[in-house]
Amino acid sequence: MAVTLHKQANCGFVMLNSPPVNAINQKMREDLIDAVTWAESEGLERVILSGMGRSFAAGADTKEFDHPAISPHLPDVVNRIETSTVPWIAAIHGTALGGGGELALGCQYRIARADATIGFPEVILGLVPGAGATQRLPRLVGLAEALKLIPTGKTISGKAAMAIGLVNAIDDDPVAAAKLIDQKILSEAVPLSLMKAGTDKTVSYDTARQLAIRRMRGQEAPLTAISLLETAQTATFDDGMQKERNAFLALRASPQARALRHIFFAERAAKKPPKAIETQKPTLKPLNHVIVIGGGTMGSGIAYAFLNANIRVTILESDDAGMQRANTAIDTIISASLASGHIDQQAATDRRNLLKVMMAQPDSDAGKRRNDDLTNVDLVIEAVFEDLAIKKEILQAIEPALDPNAIIATNTSYLDVNKLAACLDNPSRFVGLHFFAPAHIMKLLEIVKGSETSPVALAMGYAVAKSLGKMPVVAGVCDGFIGNRILAALREAADATLMDGSTPAEIDRAMVGFGYAMGPYETQDLSGLDIAHANRRRLDPSRDPSRRYIPIADCLVTENRLGKKTGAGWYHYPDENKTVDPTVEDIIRREAEAANIKRRHFSSDEIQQRLLLAMINEAANILHEGIATSAADIDLVLVHGYGFPRWRGGLMHYADQLGASLIMAELTKLCDEDPIFWQPSRLIVDCAKTRQNFASYNK
Ligand code: T1G
């Protein structure tokens, strides 16, 4: 049974029972309809609706959305509850989200724990509520409050829900409290469908639309939700419900909803460690003490991420200046967290007390040294300058001082994890943990598995992700792993398009039009052109001489145009805002002339196509080489680490929408221009031939 029934005297208890979060599936909808009939046939006075386990109900079962809707439909279930001759009370703990919240709106009374989570997050999945929330919620809490919740997908606590009238009462034990509600209150409760949403002069739907366009740009669902709330103000309840149903069914089948569902489930799958670890059942101590070597931007961000998770951190630095810099960096992050209200003064003190910044004394006899600062360390992460020799020296110095079970990790963004591992006595304890700046905020964590990395070292990567609330993705060893390697392909295609006739502003506009919050050139100006420049120099010795090389970025670096930090990069920064800089366009034209290129205009569509095809082609190589274990993992890396629009479902989900055959045809056409750069990946050739999609590819 997806619903359990029992009664005490004339009180009925209906419990939702579909672990782990009581997602409302077809069986549960059937059982709820039967429960209403049961309560009426038993002549009960009230029914208390609650959820088994940790949740009231997490909403409709999204796994059903890829199939035709099956009756009974949730709006009919909610209507049946609302029109029942026996009043129903929603007793909410844990989460009451989406359809779970709508079940509660169909009840005559709602009681929640103060710490419950209530909301209508359907727009996060590319949907609108489909069981009456757009029509009932404004009738309960007013249009202004409904506009804050439904078009944004924002969830609130039971306490906040009480404050706006979404629930009638708060109690630590909602079921027990529901038994005591005065029967008169229940019998006099007016069903929301019979109320009016009223008008609210303070409400501006256009303002709400502007906000939605700014915050959830390119997404359809938020705007549809706003229109449905506007409808609630004037239409009859039944007309509003019809409009809502039509809108819900249309969005349910939309590419954006499919894309957002794909990411939702990919995120959950990613958090589960691979079988190799499960079966090995590695013995992993809980994370209590982490050493971070290097307290620079990345090191201090990584350290703070552990402090946030209440894990003791020791930052090792090479000199007093380094120690001072690390302390200042941590204090800056703490001050920002205090200012934003993320933490209070006590939490700030707690974090500071968990941190120690000390000198890494180079020790000629480190093999014997076991001072208390380095014993009982579970994990060491080096976050020093991106130089192989410096990292090797650091790793060789620290290894003898550690407990043999301590795991050693590198935060390198590009360098060869196998070469770093090779400098250790025990390379199996070594793993890459590639954090993204700012490391205490960005969710993505690339766990780089070297050829010697042991299951227990890999398990440590997952343990770090779980402790820090990060999104783990395992990557194999190659230059740039998954994300940076695809980013390099994007930049190469963008620079080639510059050379061939476009401008940084046109390319940025095109990619913002695709759904990025910021284009590739403005992004480089923010991160600094010197980082990519150093990587290009590092790759000079191994570069394929037959592959087209675009020198424009090098010219900017030569002129110390490193981006916003030097006041000029791809754009000019006379103040906080960027302005197009004719100097850059002169440099581009000069280099194009020197290369005898006949430049031409590129439309936004052409720019999007070139940059996205270059990314897809490189991603297909990454998948084919086994650097990424699935297309979904590549989607998570791009969405969580590189700003790829979430409502596109990620790069490979988008590629599957295009189809391998179309991709192959477009790449073949571009090969006429440059057969080396546009050489289709083996995987694209194979998928085009076999009509297989990338999502189903397993190496
Ligand atoms: N449908 C199906 N499965 C779901 C689910 C759902 N709504 N919510 C969670 N799961 C699965 C999830 O995939 C995972 O499975 C397990 O439950 C634990 O989830 C008609 C149309 C509730 C806050 O958008 O936000 O109602 O990986 O790992 O971190 O108007 O799940 O173990 O196999 O996330 O504790 C609206 C989505 C739906 C809420 C719990 N509801 N869920 O977080 O656990 S549309 C939502 C969440 C709708 C109506 C509309 C979170 C959570 P597995 P988890 P968690």
Side-chain angles (χ1 to χ4, degrees):
M1 286 283 280
V3 163
T4 61
L5 309 176
H6 77 275
K7 67 174 188 162
Q8 277 171 359
N10 47 24
C11 176
F13 297 89
V14 175
M15 292 194 84
L16 306 173
N17 180 21
S18 174
V21 291
N22 296 327
I24 306 166
N25 54 32
Q26 196 267 348
K27 180 71 177 94
M28 186 181 282
R29 297 194 297 272
E30 274 180 349
D31 290 351
L32 280 168
I33 294 273
D34 294 345
V36 178
T37 307
W38 161 77
E40 289 171 339
S41 64
E42 294 286 333
L44 300 176
E45 270 191 357
R46 68 184 66 190
V47 168
I48 299 172
L49 175 66
S50 62
M52 296 278 266
R54 59 183 165 131
S55 173
F56 177 75
D61 185 341
T62 47
K63 294 187 184 71
E64 292 186 354
F65 292 165
D66 290 325
H67 313 290
I70 309 170
S71 66
H73 304 302
L74 194 53
D76 302 329
V77 176
V78 176
N79 289 341
R80 184 74 182 87
I81 290 172
E82 184 178 66
T83 54
S84 161
T85 56
V86 179
W88 282 47
I89 303 158
I92 299 169
H93 77 294
T95 53
L97 301 174
E102 289 171 303
L103 279 178
L105 292 178
C107 295
Q108 269 66 40
Y109 201 88
R110 290 157 289 280
I111 304 178
R113 282 181 54 88
D115 61 2
T117 301
I118 303 172
F120 303 93
E122 285 86 342
V123 294
I124 309 295
L125 293 172
L127 302 167
V128 290
T134 66
Q135 304 306 307
R136 285 194 174 88
L137 189 65
R139 285 171 166 80
L140 179 62
V141 303
L143 285 155
E145 291 300 340
L147 268 173
K148 288 179 194 167
L149 290 178
I150 293 180
T152 62
K154 179 170 173 269
T155 59
I156 56 177
S157 69
K159 186 177 173 211
M162 174 75 181
I164 64 171
L166 208 171
V167 298
N168 304 83
I170 292 291
D171 199 285
D172 287 346
D173 184 346
V175 172
K179 287 192 262 184
L180 305 175
I181 297 166
D182 186 308
Q183 194 62 36
K184 191 167 180 295
I185 293 174
L186 295 178
S187 54
E188 289 176 358
V190 177
L192 294 174
S193 56
L194 300 183
M195 294 164 75
K196 289 278 180 219
T199 51
D200 181 335
K201 294 274 181 281
T202 67
V203 162
S204 161
Y205 295 101
D206 286 344
T207 305
R209 288 188 180 94
Q210 293 316 315
L211 199 59
I213 289 166
R214 199 166 58 247
R215 286 189 181 161
M216 301 174 87
R217 200 162 35 80
Q219 300 180 53
E220 300 154 23
L223 298 174
T224 306
I226 292 166
S227 301
L228 288 167
L229 290 171
E230 195 169 14
T231 297
Q233 186 168 325
T234 53
T236 65
F237 180 76
D238 289 347
D239 286 353
M241 284 298 287
Q242 190 56 59
K243 285 201 169 105
E244 179 193 84
R245 188 71 189 157
N246 295 342
F248 167 70
L249 292 174
L251 286 172
R252 181 181 189 272
S254 71
Q256 285 193 7
R258 274 202 304 278
L260 289 165
R261 274 200 300 279
H262 162 69
I263 289 291
F264 173 83
F265 286 113
E267 286 168 340
R268 276 139 191 86
K271 290 176 187 170
K272 294 185 184 108
K275 290 276 176 290
I277 299 181
E278 292 293 330
T279 47
Q280 296 272 337
K281 290 264 179 286
T283 51
L284 198 63
K285 288 194 310 174
L287 265 173
N288 291 309
H289 183 196
V290 175
I291 285 183
V292 176
I293 306 176
T297 307
M298 286 308 292
S300 53
I302 292 168
Y304 191 74
F306 283 100
L307 298 174
N308 264 342
N310 198 29
I311 293 170
R312 183 180 153 214
V313 176
T314 300
I315 295 180
L316 297 184
E317 263 292 353
S318 52
D319 55 26
D320 288 334
M323 287 169 60
Q324 180 55 46
R325 182 188 58 176
N327 276 308
T328 305
I330 292 287
D331 288 342
T332 304
I333 297 174
I334 289 178
S335 307
S337 300
L338 277 168
S340 63
H342 281 123
I343 61 171
D344 60 18
Q345 195 51 55
Q346 182 56 53
T349 306
D350 294 345
R351 281 159 178 73
R352 256 273 162 228
N353 291 342
L354 281 170
L355 174 69
K356 182 170 189 175
V357 179
M358 58 181 278
M359 199 91 85
Q361 292 95 359
D363 190 331
S364 57
D365 192 13
K368 297 194 188 63
R369 184 177 61 152
R370 280 280 187 278
N371 69 35
D372 66 343
D373 291 306
L374 298 185
T375 53
N376 298 321
V377 168
D378 311 299
L379 171 66
V380 173
I381 303 175
E382 69 78 16
V384 300
F385 186 67
E386 279 289 88
D387 176 284
L388 206 58
I390 294 174
K391 289 181 182 294
K392 283 183 173 178
E393 187 186 334
I394 296 268
L395 293 170
Q396 286 169 325
I398 193 80
E399 183 180 28
L402 297 171
D403 297 345
N405 296 324
I407 301 297
I408 305 175
T410 172
N411 171 56
T412 185
S413 317
Y414 281 89
L415 300 179
D416 189 327
V417 166
N418 290 330
K419 285 183 182 165
L420 288 171
C423 78
L424 295 174
D425 294 339
N426 174 10
S428 75
R429 72 197 294 188
F430 192 69
V431 66
L433 292 180
H434 179 209
F435 291 81
F436 289 77
H440 59 294
I441 293 173
M442 293 293 280
K443 286 287 178 214
L444 181 63
L445 177 66
E446 277 184 319
I447 301 173
V448 186
K449 183 178 180 298
S451 52
E452 303 287 326
T453 299
S454 64
V456 70
L458 204 57
M460 172 60 83
Y462 277 91
V464 166
K466 189 172 179 145
S467 303
L468 306 186
K470 299 268 183 196
M471 178 60 59
V473 174
V474 174
V477 177
C478 69
D479 198 285
F481 318 131
I482 298 171
N484 279 342
R485 182 168 154 184
I486 294 171
L487 175 64
L490 161 66
R491 286 180 171 170
E492 205 181 9
D495 289 358
T497 311
L498 278 190
M499 221 33 186
D500 295 345
S502 193
T503 68
E506 287 172 347
I507 290 174
D508 281 354
R509 259 196 308 277
M511 297 315 280
V512 168
F514 177 75
Y516 279 87
M518 190 183 288
Y521 289 107
E522 187 177 0
T523 305
Q524 287 178 54
D525 275 355
L526 283 186
S527 56
L529 278 65
D530 41 341
I531 299 166
H533 180 261
N535 269 309
R536 287 194 297 275
R537 297 295 71 82
R538 177 176 59 81
L539 293 170
D540 282 344
S542 58
R543 180 168 289 110
D544 172 359
S546 65
R547 189 180 183 90
R548 189 182 182 195
Y549 182 77
I550 311 293
I552 301 169
D554 296 342
C555 299
L556 299 188
V557 172
T558 306
E559 297 186 13
N560 200 37
R561 298 176 66 101
L562 305 183
K564 195 163 187 177
K565 61 187 175 186
T566 57
W570 294 101
Y571 296 94
H572 179 223
Y573 296 85
D575 50 35
E576 267 308 294
N577 302 314
K578 70 178 190 301
T579 55
V580 171
D581 188 338
T583 314
V584 171
E585 294 180 19
D586 292 345
I587 292 171
I588 296 168
R589 269 194 293 278
R590 183 192 73 206
E591 291 303 318
E593 278 158 27
N596 294 319
I597 289 167
K598 194 172 175 325
R599 304 181 80 231
R600 71 170 179 89
H601 172 70
F602 287 90
S603 69
S604 268
D605 288 349
E606 286 179 299
I607 293 169
Q608 285 179 12
Q609 183 203 52
R610 283 161 178 267
L611 273 55
L612 288 161
L613 282 175
M615 293 166 74
I616 290 168
N617 206 22
E618 196 59 42
N621 288 328
I622 286 170
L623 201 46
H624 193 242
E625 295 162 22
I627 297 295
T629 49
S630 71
D633 275 359
I634 294 173
D635 292 337
L636 292 175
V637 168
L638 283 236
V639 164
H640 282 281
Y642 294 80
F644 194 92
R646 183 187 179 87
W647 54 270
R648 298 268 192 187
L651 180 68
M652 299 314 275
H653 181 84
Y654 173 71
D656 274 330
Q657 306 310 300
L658 296 177
S661 303
L662 173 71
I663 292 168
M664 181 66 198
E666 294 303 332
L667 287 171
T668 305
K669 268 190 240 164
L670 287 168
C671 275
D672 294 344
E673 267 181 45
D674 183 338
I676 294 172
F677 186 82
W678 295 109
Q679 171 67 35
S681 159
R682 177 76 253 157
L683 179 61
I684 290 174
V685 174
D686 294 347
C687 285
K689 204 178 295 170
T690 60
R691 299 227 177 282
Q692 180 188 9
N693 63 24
F694 300 110
S696 59
Y697 177 76
N698 285 306
K699 184 156 177 74

